[in-house]
Amino acid sequence: MDSQQPTLLKPFTTIPAHLQTIADYEQQARLHLSAATWEYLQGGAMDEISIRENREQFEQIKLIPRHLKDLTQGQTQLSLFGQNYPHPIFMAPIGHQSLFHPQAEKASAMAAEVLQSNFILSTFTNTDLGELHPENPYKWFQLYWQADRQKSLELVKLAEQQHFKALVVTIDSPHTGIRDRERKAFFQLPENMQHPHTPAHFMASDVAPDQHPLFQGLMHMAPQWNDIEWLIQNTALPVILKGVLHPADAKQAIEIGAQGLIISNHGGRVLDTTISPLTALQMIKATVDPEFPLLLDGGIRRGSDIFKAIALGASAVLIGRPYIYGLAVAGALGVAHTLKILKEEFEVTMALMGTATLKDINRDYIYP
């Protein structure tokens, strides 16, 4: 029996009829990626309990529809930070997209612009910031702290020059998670994929023999609250913190001037057995101003999931793996189709639930 990996399928140039759901795209994407890259994409931290619970919690929440309402003026628009967005399905920052398709982030951004989905470009991008359409109104930049303030600010100023509309600062991964599945597959980034914007705090640091390489090394270069406060004071862009799970952190973020929060456990890829984003969303929603923007990241696979997240207090949601499945299968066309699938499912869910606008969606429509 041949133990070698089967020949990988090339990206499609048209969408096959059998691709109808995100689950379909997930199955198909595996046929287009190497075994190691697939485990990198799908894997999570340690026992991957958080990945499973991120999904399972959506399944446990049930919907309670209301009927006989006038929905003829229905729409999915929302406003964040003074800007209008046509729908609440945003694209999470995912780095190293050349692993999944030759056009990488350029393909994802192109699809996002066509579907009017807000695209968040990762610091770990394989595509230069200037290669994205400068006039696309729906793009934010995600920053990993660059070990010192000046290096971080240089990236922020570059994002400002390229007309990014907001800054997302990821705070939950000063050290990469222990990902067993990825390590067992012997996954490594190709050498030619190293990007000059790679954050310094992910590299080995110089420490004395009597110092701990993690606590006096990597964590010494990680940002602290005063760094984030300084950054907020030195950019005109709205600053959103990504990776917040604790209500006390949410409160402190607001106190130093953060204009939004992305409730996320990093897709279960950093620290296993953290509470799910949906649980954290409810805890944080109860402690902040009702109008303060909270975005949910993690576990979205259906339009009904988007409805549940908004009902529990999210202003918008971020999807990650779903659009990467589309990217692997058919480049920009596949990304656009995955967005279209979720958008249509969400609109149908809204209509069948008796809600005409996002503001109509609340806890009255879900059980428990």
Side-chain angles (χ1 to χ4, degrees):
M1 183 176 179
D2 189 357
S3 61
Q4 292 184 349
Q5 180 170 311
T7 302
L8 301 180
L9 294 181
K10 294 182 179 180
F12 296 144
T13 55
T14 59
I15 302 298
H18 73 275
L19 296 178
Q20 300 285 335
T21 67
I22 300 302
D24 293 337
Y25 266 96
E26 181 176 2
Q27 285 187 325
Q28 184 66 45
R30 187 167 192 168
L31 305 178
H32 296 257
L33 300 173
S34 71
T37 298
W38 178 252
E39 302 299 357
Y40 167 76
L41 172 62
Q42 293 290 88
M46 296 188 177
D47 296 314
E48 301 186 351
I49 293 168
S50 288
I51 285 185
R52 293 195 297 273
E53 290 186 347
N54 286 1
R55 281 293 309 127
E56 289 170 356
Q57 191 165 17
F58 279 108
E59 297 170 0
Q60 293 165 3
I61 294 171
K62 307 305 177 184
L63 299 173
I64 314 173
R66 301 288 305 278
H67 301 300
L68 301 176
K69 292 189 174 185
D70 179 7
L71 304 179
T72 56
Q73 304 301 312
Q75 46 89 4
T76 60
Q77 295 178 10
L78 69 152
S79 179
L80 287 175
F81 319 120
Q83 182 175 348
N84 293 325
Y85 295 87
H87 60 81
I89 307 170
F90 294 3
M91 295 165 67
I94 295 183
H96 310 306
Q97 292 191 24
S98 287
L99 288 168
F100 311 110
H101 191 275
Q103 291 183 317
E105 294 84 4
K106 196 169 184 178
S108 297
M110 186 186 309
E113 187 169 4
V114 171
L115 269 292
Q116 297 180 297
S117 183
N118 191 43
F119 178 65
I120 307 175
L121 183 70
S122 170
T123 296
F124 282 124
T125 177
N126 299 133
T127 304
D128 191 88
L129 277 66
E131 291 186 47
L132 305 189
H133 183 200
E135 301 308 321
N136 176 13
Y138 310 119
K139 62 177 187 178
W140 296 353
F141 180 70
Q142 177 265 340
L143 175 74
Y144 279 112
W145 189 253
Q146 299 293 293
D148 68 49
R149 292 181 173 186
Q150 195 54 43
K151 288 181 180 178
S152 299
L153 191 60
E154 287 173 5
L155 269 184
V156 173
K157 293 305 177 183
L158 183 58
E160 291 177 355
Q161 292 166 15
Q162 297 297 332
H163 306 291
F164 285 79
K165 302 301 182 182
L167 182 67
V168 174
V169 183
T170 298
I171 64 170
D172 63 354
S173 57
H175 188 283
T176 188
I178 296 174
R179 299 200 282 264
D180 298 341
R181 193 202 304 201
E182 179 183 315
R183 294 192 299 183
K184 289 176 181 178
F186 300 104
F187 172 80
Q188 286 187 324
L189 283 173
E191 288 186 14
N192 62 359
M193 202 174 286
Q194 301 304 318
H195 192 276
H197 293 158
T198 299
H201 74 268
F202 278 82
M203 298 178 178
S205 56
D206 294 327
V207 293
D210 62 338
Q211 290 183 315
H212 194 286
L214 173 60
F215 295 107
Q216 280 83 48
L218 287 171
M219 297 307 294
H220 177 70
M221 294 185 286
Q224 299 181 22
W225 283 109
N226 58 354
D227 295 309
I228 302 300
E229 184 172 15
W230 174 87
L231 189 65
I232 291 170
Q233 294 169 353
N234 283 275
T235 178
L237 296 177
V239 173
I240 302 120
L241 298 192
K242 179 177 182 290
V244 177
L245 292 175
H246 200 293
D249 282 352
K251 182 179 179 181
Q252 189 162 354
I254 294 170
E255 288 175 352
I256 67 170
Q259 295 192 33
L261 301 175
I262 297 175
I263 312 303
S264 171
N265 62 10
H266 216 98
R269 292 173 65 81
V270 174
L271 178 63
D272 201 19
T273 69
T274 59
I275 61 174
S276 74
L278 269 182
T279 297
L281 173 66
Q282 295 172 75
M283 294 167 58
I284 291 171
K285 187 70 176 180
T287 64
V288 304
D289 185 286
E291 299 302 314
F292 188 82
L294 301 176
L295 289 74
L296 181 127
D297 167 62
I300 298 290
R301 295 295 185 275
R302 285 284 192 177
S304 53
D305 298 337
I306 301 168
F307 187 97
K308 293 170 184 178
I310 293 174
L312 291 172
S315 305
V317 301
L318 275 60
I319 62 168
R321 290 181 178 93
Y323 84 83
I324 294 298
Y325 300 147
L327 180 65
V329 169
L333 190 62
V335 175
H337 193 216
T338 56
L339 289 168
K340 183 173 182 285
I341 287 169
L342 287 171
K343 185 172 180 291
E344 289 180 349
E345 287 183 356
F346 176 56
E347 291 168 349
V348 170
T349 301
M350 281 183 64
L352 294 177
M353 288 298 294
T355 52
T357 70
L358 301 188
K359 291 187 179 298
D360 295 334
I361 303 173
N362 57 53
R363 295 183 72 102
D364 291 342
Y365 291 88
I366 59 172
Y367 178 85

